[in-house]
Amino acid sequence: MTKWLLPREKVLRDPVHNYIHIRNQIILELIDTPEFQRLRRIKQLGTASFTFPGAEHTRFTHSLGVYEITRQICDNFVTNYPSRNHGQDGLWDDNERLVALCAALLHDVGHGAYSHTFEHIFHTNHEAITQQIITDPHTNINRILRQVASDFPQKVASVINHTYPNKQVIQIISSQIDADRMDYLLRDAYNTGTNYGLFDLTRILRVMRPYANGIAFNANGMHAVEDYIISRFQMYQQVYFHPVSRGMEAILTHLLQRAQYLYHHCGFQQQPTLLIPFFEGNFTLTDYLKLDDNVLNSYFVIWQNHPDKILRDLAQRFLNRQPLKSVRFTQYTQKLIPHLQALICQAGWDADYYTAINTSYDLPYDTYNPNNTKAQIEIMLPDETLEELSAVSELVAAISNKKIGDQRFFFPKAMLGRHLTPDDPHYALTQTFRKYLLNDALIDPKII
Amino acid sequence: MTKWLLPREKVLRDPVHNYIHIRNQIILELIDTPEFQRLRRIKQLGTASFTFPGAEHTRFTHSLGVYEITRQICDNFVTNYPSRNHGQDGLWDDNERLVALCAALLHDVGHGAYSHTFEHIFHTNHEAITQQIITDPHTNINRILRQVASDFPQKVASVINHTYPNKQVIQIISSQIDADRMDYLLRDAYNTGTNYGLFDLTRILRVMRPYANGIAFNANGMHAVEDYIISRFQMYQQVYFHPVSRGMEAILTHLLQRAQYLYHHCGFQQQPTLLIPFFEGNFTLTDYLKLDDNVLNSYFVIWQNHPDKILRDLAQRFLNRQPLKSVRFTQYTQKLIPHLQALICQAGWDADYYTAINTSYDLPYDTYNPNNTKAQIEIMLPDETLEELSAVSELVAAISNKKIGDQRFFFPKAMLGRHLTPDDPHYALTQTFRKYLLNDALIDPKII
Amino acid sequence: MTKWLLPREKVLRDPVHNYIHIRNQIILELIDTPEFQRLRRIKQLGTASFTFPGAEHTRFTHSLGVYEITRQICDNFVTNYPSRNHGQDGLWDDNERLVALCAALLHDVGHGAYSHTFEHIFHTNHEAITQQIITDPHTNINRILRQVASDFPQKVASVINHTYPNKQVIQIISSQIDADRMDYLLRDAYNTGTNYGLFDLTRILRVMRPYANGIAFNANGMHAVEDYIISRFQMYQQVYFHPVSRGMEAILTHLLQRAQYLYHHCGFQQQPTLLIPFFEGNFTLTDYLKLDDNVLNSYFVIWQNHPDKILRDLAQRFLNRQPLKSVRFTQYTQKLIPHLQALICQAGWDADYYTAINTSYDLPYDTYNPNNTKAQIEIMLPDETLEELSAVSELVAAISNKKIGDQRFFFPKAMLGRHLTPDDPHYALTQTFRKYLLNDALIDPKII
Amino acid sequence: MTKWLLPREKVLRDPVHNYIHIRNQIILELIDTPEFQRLRRIKQLGTASFTFPGAEHTRFTHSLGVYEITRQICDNFVTNYPSRNHGQDGLWDDNERLVALCAALLHDVGHGAYSHTFEHIFHTNHEAITQQIITDPHTNINRILRQVASDFPQKVASVINHTYPNKQVIQIISSQIDADRMDYLLRDAYNTGTNYGLFDLTRILRVMRPYANGIAFNANGMHAVEDYIISRFQMYQQVYFHPVSRGMEAILTHLLQRAQYLYHHCGFQQQPTLLIPFFEGNFTLTDYLKLDDNVLNSYFVIWQNHPDKILRDLAQRFLNRQPLKSVRFTQYTQKLIPHLQALICQAGWDADYYTAINTSYDLPYDTYNPNNTKAQIEIMLPDETLEELSAVSELVAAISNKKIGDQRFFFPKAMLGRHLTPDDPHYALTQTFRKYLLNDALIDPKII
């Protein structure tokens, strides 16, 4: 791949990796495409910046970071392990570098504005769109990738969808300890200002190694890998599943749903042109690529003055950070939710738009199961046999195969009736509402 | 001001200061206003994220940071210096705390989308609007401030416009070493990933002290203050005046100018409703508060497909990061610019939209001059006499009263004629263009 | 205690806490005593700097750090919780501050040179000596403490030995999450350059709170406490129990034992004067206070040229970092050790001085047991009830009450016979030795 | 040099560089020599830890750090610049790597205990001894270096004494911006907890480049180099020349002088055996290598009980941190010193042992002068011409060729007469002493 080498390495400053190093013309051209630059306008963590104000970073910087970690992995492999070009015993073929780098850079290119929420409502699929952006002959990204070879776009896409023949490359980009996860943990920790996500990246990269069928970690680095798993566990508990961010997501969901409803039933005076293909369930790639956080937010700015009371109110709540409150519920307390909803209706709220249930669970580490496309983590012992991570780490074993997360019921803050006096018409109703929350132990440990 | 104390201190996570501590109900309510939440959608450094990708932070987090530094300053003053309430010899009156905190939080609340560029074209003024947001009886911010006292909004505004009687409070918020500058240097360094902006905030806060007529720094902390001045000098040179960010600003300026031109001469099929009051030079505060980076960017997304070739091209260049290139010029080489512009016209570019001149200068440290509203820095010697900083620091003296910065001429990258072959129609023209740049030493040290 | 307040707070720079803040004359005088200054000459981690070269920090800086954390805890308590002076409902009595600060500063003052090794051989006891230094009327420390009150030394000592009536004070200084442990984890991580020991001290101090009978942690900070427990677990596994440091400890143990043997059986040409009271098992506090790492090391420098071959060799090995190698053994492989020892003897080594068994175990977190003097960690729920930490944290539950560590057998590196050729007289013997190690799976995962 | 390659790279943890990477058997063996391990027992900053408690790091870790930076420089050169082996236009010959690495590792190996003080009194010379350790055929270091080639020790020595033919290698190890200075600034900043010494090492290494006759820095990295010079300037002012450390050095000097005097005039009951060769001015390399901080400190521990009052007192002052106080003087106030000394004598102090004059100056950056063995810093412009740093940096120009530092007069703290009452016999005398200090403006800005 030397033909694409730049005359001089270029670097981009990055607060997490210090510098992003680029030696390949193809990478530079991919970064300069409109499809990739668009990621500058999509926040990495969606509504989390409403909880952690510093979390303003985007999928653009994250994608560069995943590229950089992949580059460092390849550098390590080519320096320290025998080349597959030079004999049958080789462990790493550096001709795989370019496909790995491109897949790393582009793995999230199909993400859209507030992806998780948006996909749920409009049935888009960022993974499918990532594939499409890479393989559709009309995109800039496809055009650049085709310079390498006519089947190169397909190769890059196959790494991302796990069908590429070389499992090493797949595992670098997508496994339970891949360049993607390592970058987002470090970057999210850096920008939120929490330190749960910190782990020793240098050490992990040092002990990461290719073997015949994949990637393993030398046993003397087991504890660094263990620490990474714990970090991920803690980031899910402390950051990714934070109830306030989810309370804002609930607002966002209902806001988009209300807009779609109005589009179909009343129309808009000033049409949200770029959203219409999605309201109608009939969108092209070009339509999709026009959406980003900025476009959605600017509609919300306009909708703050919309005549529909619910749309207007939800838009204001989203822009001005007024999350729904929530309580955790369990299988035993789930039966109370209809009662709560009834009270909320009695208080004059439209329960469709002002209540929600959100279930957030993650498996921090998953030993082998046949449906999991993410490879388990293998530790290579000094005799070159492999052991699955949870077999050698008590800490990891303790959290393996256990889902973490919770189910929460979301409702308007006003239902708590704080500051209401007994002569307020809703006083009795909010008292009943609070009694359900407290006496029936719906909540643990508190209302957020 | 104990009546506004929260039952329990609240904290927000912040990557720069670790936590933002809030004890006052008024502060919490100010943060929750739409006027303040809007700062979440305005980047602190405008186009700098095109040069330093990590610079995605907003005026929202910066404003919280200025508040937090001010809070720490007040805590230090009240703990370590005699209170003015308790006698004639007091140095600090903690009744000033709330006005200082509010002014710190709100000092930038009138900033708009891409302020510097926008103001230049549409004759808005973020400082005047900050005053207006605080003092206009119809804003949420004014309403909350009035809870303290009917003249409290005016007091807060007067701190920001330097007319408040207590010079100590003014200097905390606005001087050559104020909470504003200290926060932005640290925050911009953190997010760009450069370390030029780092200095010892803890030490500076420790040696900062009130005296009768203002704020001074104990002599044993002189070097920490010196280090802050050097950091600021280096951030201007390395980050704030970076030619690539200015090349993107040039694009943005011309893009907005073209849109205004089209509005007056051709109209838009889909009207950029929120910009029209500005195109017409007749806007209200309500109009102003609807604008943010997101709104502008979403118009640019739409304009990428506009029939006007120039608007379309500039919108694409801005969204996809294709800055104008530039060269530095001096009083001796300035006369070449018309020749360069002529060549650019010959190559088919509209020079009004594809060339620009940008002059960026800053005074890193200014000893007294009668027009400067920013107080000079005073060092307090052990005998309690004051010395101006540059009198005791050779390093600061070396850069005092010297403007740093440069003047640059901006032009399309294509004018460099890279990759053109001699049979290209523009070949000769680009050769001449390059000859001007190189032979006449217009440039130093290189084209950026 | 205002009578001891310094006219101005003094600060010491510290890389871990940034500054150590001192407002009390008593603290300053305690730091200046010979007994406390002596801690500058005793490394915090003993032989660990042979594994982690940066671990050169001493008990002096650690003791200052424990003081500083305690000071921050008291500041938090007095600011945020009702005072016991002002009514029956008070939670914290700030008159306890001085006793807490003194106990924090002095808790390790009885540590000696290479304490753990030295105590084992010479039957000294650093805890008893800490008590003695504080309560013996002839020490400088006692004289300074007596300025406060005649019974004040006894009070300080009683905090350290857990008999002080106020359990809050004891728990600040000595519990499963005390100022001591928090400082050493952060400081050891900082100096070794590992990041296992990092956790969010600011957050923990924020959620730490007094209650009637002790110290608890607010439930919203549970995860920060959990993270601290995991950090401690990892530091034990990765740093404190590192086999190379233990291989150097084995050398040190045998070196001191040999010196004692020679003293009793042969004498020294140049007497190790300061060690003689310990060789004879009859030492005074004055004798003890003369010993530090420097004194021991300087004897080792002299012993490098001693006529006794074993003493000379062990001194050289210790000074020049030639640890014994080791293998982990289990109850199943323990029976092989006599065979290994026999081979070592056959190869000409004195097994008393060139082999060792070391067992290192720690309980990373201990739910209640009646013999544990270290209080368990209590989480305070929003309704002010308490839950023990492992009841609310799955991660902590996973490692509670489980001892971590291992047993290792130590032997000379030469027994591995690396680089020996078959004609070497020890060749066969070392082959047998290696066979035991490898075939019998004595080792896991490798010889260190 | 591939014959010395280890089968697998070894790493040492280091808090400053994260890891020290070792690929060469020779380097590993050099580290394991007694001569090099001895550096573990010599503090890098001598008495500075009395001012900055964290400064407990040794010449051992610093030497490893200089090695590591040199390794990174060579890696950069071999990756990014044409090899001299491959043609006449090559810029870097990687056969120089091993001599550079060895010189980096060993450049300080001749340093002794409290070098600067010790050398001054006993006329030892650490640079000459470094040469001797490398070239004397009886040292372990020489034996290991000879494995490479019989003239290899001499080559390594010639790099350190600036006579090696390849100026590039000399400049890596010893110039105004060399691996030595870069490591000590970062390491001293890390351990003292100050941040004056921080600069962007990654960036400097990236722009550092070989040219025909030496080392230069690409112009686009000029500001990182500038920042390094400023950092060095600030470390000298704030850390290295701190008056308290110099007050402890004065104690140490007099303590050793007194011991030498006593040796010649009275003898010692218990001889300080290892110091005698130095007292007698007749020492061998073997004698020298037995000294380290530990050995000196352990004599001081013994001397605390010596019958000679001055020796005993100075030993106690040194071990227990009781520095001489000091004032700055100038050419105008120098004439007062005899008066001060007379008063000190009248108060009963032996002025030879209780006063001192210390002059500490450094040139933070030196443009060319014919006597300077340290090369000036060259900036390489895009057209490959060179400019000396101060010609392109106003900040550096401001401090070039200007010595910084001061002259101070040291005296016993008791001379300040604090807490004396008028009826004290020394009251009048101390009043006169203070009057000199204050009225004659001897001091600026304060007595330290």
Side-chain angles (χ1 to χ4, degrees), chain A residues 56 58 190 270 273 294 297-298, chain B residues 56 58 190 270 273 294 298:
Chain A
E56 301 175 319
T58 68
Y190 189 86
Q270 186 181 352
T273 328
N294 289 347
N297 288 345
S298 73
Chain B
E56 301 174 319
T58 67
Y190 190 86
Q270 188 181 353
T273 328
N294 289 349
S298 73

Side-chain angles (χ1 to χ4, degrees), chain A residues 12-15 18 32-34 37 40-41 43 49-50 52-54 56-58 60-61 64 190-196 270-271 273-274 290 292-295 297-299 301-302 305 319-322, chain B residues 12-15 18 32-34 37 40-41 43 49-50 52-54 56-58 60-61 64 190-196 270-271 273-274 290 292-295 297-299 301-302 305 319-322:
Chain A
L12 300 174
R13 272 273 184 193
D14 176 63
N18 203 357
D32 283 345
T33 57
Q37 289 289 323
R40 286 182 187 271
R41 300 187 296 276
K43 283 214 187 82
S49 69
F50 290 113
F52 298 94
E56 301 175 319
H57 56 301
T58 68
F60 182 80
T61 39
L64 293 175
Y190 189 86
N191 284 287
T192 55
T194 59
N195 57 9
Y196 303 112
Q270 186 181 352
Q271 289 285 12
T273 328
L274 302 179
K290 283 182 186 155
D292 56 37
D293 292 3
N294 289 347
V295 167
N297 288 345
S298 73
Y299 286 129
V301 166
I302 293 167
N305 301 102
L319 292 174
N320 302 332
R321 193 196 178 278
Q322 296 169 340
Chain B
L12 301 173
R13 272 272 184 195
D14 176 63
N18 205 357
D32 282 346
T33 57
Q37 289 288 323
R40 287 183 185 271
R41 302 187 294 276
K43 282 213 188 84
S49 70
F50 291 112
F52 298 93
E56 301 174 319
H57 55 302
T58 67
F60 182 79
T61 40
L64 293 175
Y190 190 86
N191 283 286
T192 56
T194 58
N195 56 9
Y196 302 113
Q270 188 181 353
Q271 288 287 12
T273 328
L274 301 179
K290 284 183 185 156
D292 58 35
D293 293 3
N294 289 349
V295 168
N297 288 345
S298 73
Y299 286 129
V301 166
I302 292 168
N305 301 103
L319 292 174
N320 302 331
R321 190 195 180 281
Q322 296 168 342

Side-chain angles (χ1 to χ4, degrees), chain D residues 102-162:
Chain D
C102 291
L105 190 72
L106 301 175
H107 78 287
D108 266 354
V109 78
H111 258 296
Y114 299 110
S115 275
H116 298 296
T117 309
F118 197 88
E119 295 195 352
H120 182 66
I121 303 172
F122 298 114
H123 313 297
T124 56
N125 178 328
H126 75 267
E127 293 179 355
I129 292 166
T130 296
Q131 295 287 317
Q132 201 180 342
I133 292 171
I134 295 171
T135 58
D136 182 314
H138 303 98
T139 67
N140 293 281
I141 281 176
N142 182 277
R143 176 178 51 74
I144 289 161
L145 294 173
R146 279 203 315 271
Q147 295 178 63
V148 179
S150 63
D151 65 343
F152 191 67
Q154 189 52 54
K155 275 189 183 172
V156 172
S158 74
V159 171
I160 296 172
N161 72 17
H162 300 100

Side-chain angles (χ1 to χ4, degrees), chain B residues 97-207:
Chain B
R97 179 189 288 256
L98 188 57
V99 76
L101 294 179
C102 291
L105 190 73
L106 301 175
H107 77 288
D108 266 354
V109 79
H111 259 295
Y114 299 111
S115 276
H116 298 297
T117 309
F118 198 88
E119 295 195 352
H120 182 67
I121 301 172
F122 299 114
H123 313 297
T124 57
N125 178 326
H126 75 267
E127 294 180 353
I129 293 166
T130 297
Q131 296 287 319
Q132 201 180 342
I133 292 171
I134 294 171
T135 58
D136 182 315
H138 303 98
T139 66
N140 292 280
I141 281 175
N142 182 275
R143 177 179 48 77
I144 290 161
L145 294 173
R146 278 202 315 273
Q147 294 178 63
V148 179
S150 61
D151 66 342
F152 192 66
Q154 190 52 53
K155 276 189 182 172
V156 172
S158 73
V159 172
I160 296 172
N161 72 17
H162 301 99
T163 59
Y164 191 69
N166 185 328
K167 295 305 167 212
Q168 295 171 334
V169 176
I170 293 176
Q171 288 178 31
I172 291 171
I173 309 300
S174 178
S175 61
Q176 295 200 57
I177 180 164
D178 58 23
D180 180 19
R181 293 182 173 195
M182 290 195 277
D183 184 78
Y184 77 62
L185 289 177
L186 294 174
R187 192 168 301 276
D188 297 344
Y190 190 86
N191 283 286
T192 56
T194 58
N195 56 9
Y196 302 113
L198 300 181
F199 55 89
D200 189 346
L201 176 65
T202 312
R203 177 99 185 129
I204 289 183
L205 295 185
R206 203 180 134 67
V207 299

Side-chain angles (χ1 to χ4, degrees), chain B residues 270-283:
Chain B
Q270 188 181 353
Q271 288 287 12
T273 328
L274 301 179
L275 276 171
I276 290 174
F278 302 89
F279 288 160
E280 298 189 338
N282 186 11
F283 66 93

Side-chain angles (χ1 to χ4, degrees), chain A residues 3-19:
Chain A
K3 63 182 284 202
W4 306 107
L5 279 192
L6 293 168
R8 252 195 102 211
E9 186 181 68
K10 291 219 171 191
V11 292
L12 300 174
R13 272 273 184 193
D14 176 63
V16 173
H17 304 299
N18 203 357
Y19 289 102

